[in-house]
Amino acid sequence: MASIRELHTQLVKKERSAVEITQEALDRIQALESKLHSFLTVTAQQALEQASAVDAKIAAGEEIGILAGIPIGIKDNICTKGIRTTCASRILENFVPPYESTVTQKLANAGAVMVGKTNLDEFAMGSSTENSAYQVTANPWDISRIPGGSSGGSAAAVAAEECVVSLGSDTGGSIRQPASFCGVVGMKPTYGLVSRYGLVAYASSLDQIGPFGRSVEDTAILLNVIAGYDPQDSTSLKVEIPDYAASLTPDLKAGKKLKIGVIKETFSEGLDPEVEAAVKNAITELETLGAEIHYISCPRFRYGLPSYYIIAPSEASANLARYDGVKYGLRSPDADNVLSMYTSTRALGFGTEVKRRIMIGTYALSAGYYDAYYLKAQKVRTLIKEDFGTAFQQVDVLICPTAPTTAFQVGEKITDPLSMYLNDLMTIPVNLAGLPGISVPCGFDSKGLPIGLQLIGKVLREDQLLQVAYSYEQSTTWHLQKAEIA
C-alpha cells in the first residue's frame, strides 16, 4: 500500500477512489487475519461509508485534507462511539461506548477511514500482546513470534499493510517496542501533547496516545491531526502545534550542528549483540550525516524499570477499581450480594497479568508500605527526570536501542513475568520523564527480524525528533523492506 501523500495525490487526481483504497485494505485484512489476528473488530460497513463520504466531497469539487480516505487502525482501548471497545478484556467484552474519544473524533473530522479496532495486551498490560483475552497477534515477519506489546495489533496491522497508519497507546514503551519488533515507525509524544480523553486508563500519569506508520512522514502527518489542546483532558497542554510533516528535510546540517547523545547505560549486559551492532551502525550513519556524537551518562536510567513497576500498577489498582459489575461491563451471575458480585465479577473478568498488577499496586499503596515503595518510586522518577535534564543541557537528542532483543517466540516468556518486563528496559524512563520518543527501523538480525533505533527528544520537541528520524530514514533503506507473510 502506498504512503499517505501518494494516496492523497491519487485521490485528488481521481486516479483512485477512497472506496477502492478502503476495499483494498479490507480485502487485505480478510486475507491475512486468520494468520495475524491484528484486529479484534473490523468495521467494514462504517469504513466504506466514511470512504464514500470522501468520494462525494471530491466529486463535488471540495478540498479534502491529507488524511481523508486513508485507512487507519485504532487500538481497542480508545473509545469509539457505537463501536465495541473491549481493551482485550472479558470484563468489557460487550462494552459499546456512548461517546467518542478526542483523537478518533479528530480523525473522523479529517476524513480518515477507520477499518477496525486492533488487538492489545489486556488493558495495555504486557509486552507481547499475548495477554489479550481473545487472541494472540502474530509478527508479520515471522508468525511464530510476538509483535511486541501492548500495541502489538496496531504495529502488526501497519507492518502487514492491513492499514496505512494506526494509533496505539504507550505507558512504558507500548508503541515504540512493537514498532521495533515489527519494523515500522512508532512515536510516543510528549505527555499531554495528545488528548487522553476516551483512552481507557491504565496508569494516568504515564499513558499517551501516539501514531504508527511505515515511514516517518506518515507518522508525522498522523501526529499533526491528533496533537493539540483538549479542554476535556485536564493533563492536556495548551501549546501551539507546528506542522511536523512540513518541516521534514533529509538534511541534518541545516542550522547549527546537531548534538546527539548516546546513552552509555543502555549498552550493557543483556543487550543482544546483533541489536548493539545495528544501533552502533545507525549512530555512525548519523555522524556521517553531520551530527556531533557524544557519549552521555544517565546513571539512574536502569532504575526506571523497578520504579515503573511500582508506579504503574499502583495507578492501575485505582483506575481499574471502577470495573465492579455495577455500572458497565461484565457482571458475574454467581453472586448473592454486592460484595460477592464485585469480587466474582473481577475474578471472572480480569486476566492473570491484570490481576497481578492490581495486587502489586494495591500492596504498594497499602498502609505501612506506601512510603517504602510508592513514595520511593516517585522520588526515583524525579531523579530520572533530572538525569535527562542534565543530558539535554549537553545534547539535542538522545539515542539508544528501542528494545534489548528482537521479537521472541510466542509462549517463550509468558510464564516468566520478570523476563517479560525486561523488554521495556530501554523505553520506560522516557514515560517516567514525560518525554517524546520514536522508534525507527535500523536493521535486521540474522533471523531476518527487524531492529529498532530509539531517539529521545526534549519536551515538546517532536519537530526536532522527527527531523532526525527522517534524516536517518532517508539515508537508509530499512523502512522500505516489507514482511512476506507465509
Side-chain angles (χ1 to χ4, degrees), residues 39 55 58 173 224 230 298 327 387 413 444 464 471 483:
F39 287 88
D55 286 336
I58 295 169
N224 275 343
D230 178 17
C298 292
K327 296 178 284 294
D387 280 354
K413 299 185 179 184
F444 292 85
Q464 187 177 61
S471 182

Side-chain angles (χ1 to χ4, degrees), residues 446-486:
S446 55
K447 302 183 192 75
L449 299 170
I451 297 169
L453 170 73
Q454 181 177 211
L455 298 164
I456 304 165
K458 299 175 182 177
V459 168
L460 295 173
R461 287 309 311 270
E462 279 78 3
D463 55 338
Q464 187 177 61
L465 202 56
L466 287 161
Q467 172 56 48
V468 178
Y470 183 75
S471 182
Y472 171 73
E473 176 192 76
Q474 294 303 302
S475 71
T476 67
T477 59
W478 305 120
H479 66 293
L480 300 176
Q481 312 296 316
K482 293 184 179 182
E484 294 183 10
I485 300 151

